[in-house]
Amino acid sequence: VNGKLPAEAEVHDMVAPLWRNTGIGRRQLVPCADLAHVHWHVLDGDDHPSIRTSATDQPDLIDLVHSIDADYTLCRSADTRTPECFPGRISYMMEPGAPPFPTPGAALVFQPRLFDHGYLPPLDADQRDRLDASLAPAWANLCESHAVDAEPLEDVPPDRKIIALPLEYEHEENFFRIHSVFPSNCHWVASLAEAMDDDVFLAVTNHPLNELHVDNSALYDLVESLPGRAAMVSGRTEHMARQCDGMIVGNSKCFAIGAFFGTPMLRQSTFETDAWLNVHQDLGDFIGAIRAGSGGRAREEDLRAWFAFHIANNVLDATLADVTAAEIFDRLDRPVDPARWETGFERYRQFQPELFA
């Protein structure tokens, strides 16, 4: 994003030093050496770790921000309290994931809150038709690729209601975990297992990055201590979402895969979920609905519209040559703009041509 901003813009980058794989160090600064218009503020005081989660108790930082008096503030931080003190328009730069639709690895979305999921603005009939027509080939191809019967889930009882629980990434570098309802994945699993009756079974999938970078021994020991009530299930969350009776999500992007497959969902989060997703908020009500076969699913007419809107309107790969500073500012000023939808889909067709073949 820095590289796209014009030289006449006054750009200030405020960042903590490298710690727990976050912040900035020499290796990250070297590629930015030619960005002469960027003013760097490396906040390397003794209390720099707290910048990742809350810096409201650092008046010098707040004073610095107010002295800059920026028109726009772009945040990539788990801290949501401190930016509330900043002037200008505040946007968070977040991952654009919307499985099963792939998104570019370098892409981002600008949004006003960290984990509000599924936002779909009011759309008139013509706008819905435009979005639907643009998405139709990719939608048909994805549906066809998933039409083959899935292999049954292993290690789950066939006579029980199966509730899927895709866990979240909990490495120490993931400071966004402070916004989770539960302090750890182990607490999440234990709380759910204790609350569920014997006719319900919890099928747990670990986050793939946990398998790579986290000591999972406590988690696996916990699940093994719950025979007949829970099991670790291998394979992708996509496979489990197709097979289960319901799914519980937190702040991850798994809500999109659950919506795609029509899986009833409970969301345990302090953030907002758009009404079209029809997620449950109460565990007891959710389990009761699953037992009754009335768990609800995302509204079909809004499901396709949201995926199309997200791709066309929200997803931005700022590394593309045709992305300009004017477009970035336009996205910040006008979060919803039908004028950019065709460009958004053209970029997506270039990224995933096989989906539109």
Side-chain angles (χ1 to χ4, degrees):
V1 174
N2 274 331
K4 296 293 184 178
L5 299 179
E8 61 270 20
E10 183 181 344
V11 181
H12 294 260
D13 274 23
M14 306 176 67
V15 61
L18 197 60
W19 182 68
R20 291 189 178 179
N21 295 333
T22 66
I24 199 165
R26 179 175 176 79
R27 186 167 62 88
Q28 291 80 29
L29 277 171
V30 168
C32 302
D34 60 340
L35 300 176
H37 64 298
V38 176
H39 304 267
W40 291 95
H41 306 270
V42 180
L43 308 174
D44 56 358
D46 292 341
D47 51 2
H48 74 79
S50 68
I51 294 173
R52 277 86 172 168
T53 54
S54 179
T56 54
D57 60 348
Q58 298 186 32
D60 291 346
L61 172 59
I62 306 299
D63 290 345
L64 173 60
V65 171
H66 280 272
S67 70
I68 294 170
D69 195 23
D71 298 295
Y72 304 91
T73 297
L74 305 181
C75 302
R76 179 59 185 173
S77 171
D79 183 0
T80 58
R81 295 177 58 199
T82 309
E84 292 175 353
C85 306
F86 291 2
R89 185 183 296 275
I90 311 297
S91 290
Y92 289 88
M93 298 183 292
M94 302 299 292
E95 294 88 351
F101 286 87
T103 50
L108 54 81
V109 293
F110 298 118
Q111 54 193 57
R113 280 165 44 94
L114 290 179
F115 298 115
D116 286 356
H117 283 169
Y119 171 68
L120 185 66
L123 301 170
D124 62 33
D126 288 342
Q127 290 171 334
R128 284 179 176 268
D129 288 346
R130 279 182 59 195
L131 290 170
D132 192 70
S134 296
L135 185 68
W139 186 269
N141 284 330
L142 268 180
C143 288
E144 182 179 357
S145 69
H146 291 294
V148 179
D149 290 340
E151 292 292 326
L153 292 173
E154 299 180 359
D155 302 320
V156 299
D159 58 343
R160 307 266 287 281
K161 294 295 185 182
I162 305 302
I163 305 299
L165 178 65
L167 298 178
E168 300 185 344
Y169 184 41
E170 61 176 2
H171 191 275
E172 65 176 10
E173 70 183 10
N174 182 17
F175 292 95
F176 291 110
R177 285 286 302 168
I178 65 171
H179 298 292
S180 299
V181 172
F182 297 93
S184 71
N185 284 333
C186 283
H187 284 86
W188 198 7
V189 171
S191 174
L192 291 173
E194 182 178 0
M196 291 180 178
D197 293 330
D198 291 341
D199 62 334
V200 178
F201 190 85
L202 193 63
V204 184
T205 55
N206 205 2
H207 194 289
L209 291 179
N210 287 340
E211 294 293 337
L212 290 174
H213 305 301
V214 175
D215 179 0
N216 298 290
S217 56
L219 171 66
Y220 279 84
D221 287 347
L222 169 64
V223 175
E224 287 181 6
S225 74
L226 300 168
R229 301 174 66 190
M232 297 297 301
V233 178
S234 60
R236 300 174 61 184
T237 298
E238 179 178 309
H239 175 59
M240 191 163 64
R242 295 178 63 188
Q243 300 287 86
C244 67
D245 298 289
M247 187 162 73
I248 299 175
V249 298
N251 290 329
S252 76
K253 299 297 189 295
C254 291
F255 80 92
I257 196 73
F260 181 83
F261 286 114
T263 308
M265 288 185 286
L266 166 72
R267 187 177 184 199
Q268 296 185 306
S269 174
T270 60
F271 289 88
E272 297 295 322
T273 310
D274 213 309
W276 68 268
L277 281 158
N278 283 329
V279 300
H280 291 259
Q281 304 292 336
D282 179 79
L283 178 60
D285 291 345
F286 174 66
I287 297 299
I290 294 299
R291 289 193 182 106
S294 59
R297 58 177 59 194
R299 292 198 295 261
E300 180 67 28
E301 66 273 19
D302 290 331
L303 175 63
R304 287 175 60 153
W306 179 79
F307 277 105
F309 169 77
H310 185 67
I311 290 168
N313 189 86
N314 298 342
V315 178
L316 176 66
D317 183 353
T319 65
L320 295 176
D322 65 334
V323 174
T324 64
E327 178 179 351
I328 293 173
F329 288 128
D330 180 71
R331 286 172 176 267
L332 297 173
D333 289 331
R334 290 187 289 183
V336 178
D337 184 6
R340 64 171 171 260
W341 292 355
E342 181 51 44
T343 298
F345 259 108
E346 180 55 34
R347 289 170 178 165
Y348 194 72
R349 283 189 286 267
Q350 293 176 16
F351 167 63
Q352 286 288 305
E354 64 277 8
L355 272 182
F356 293 86

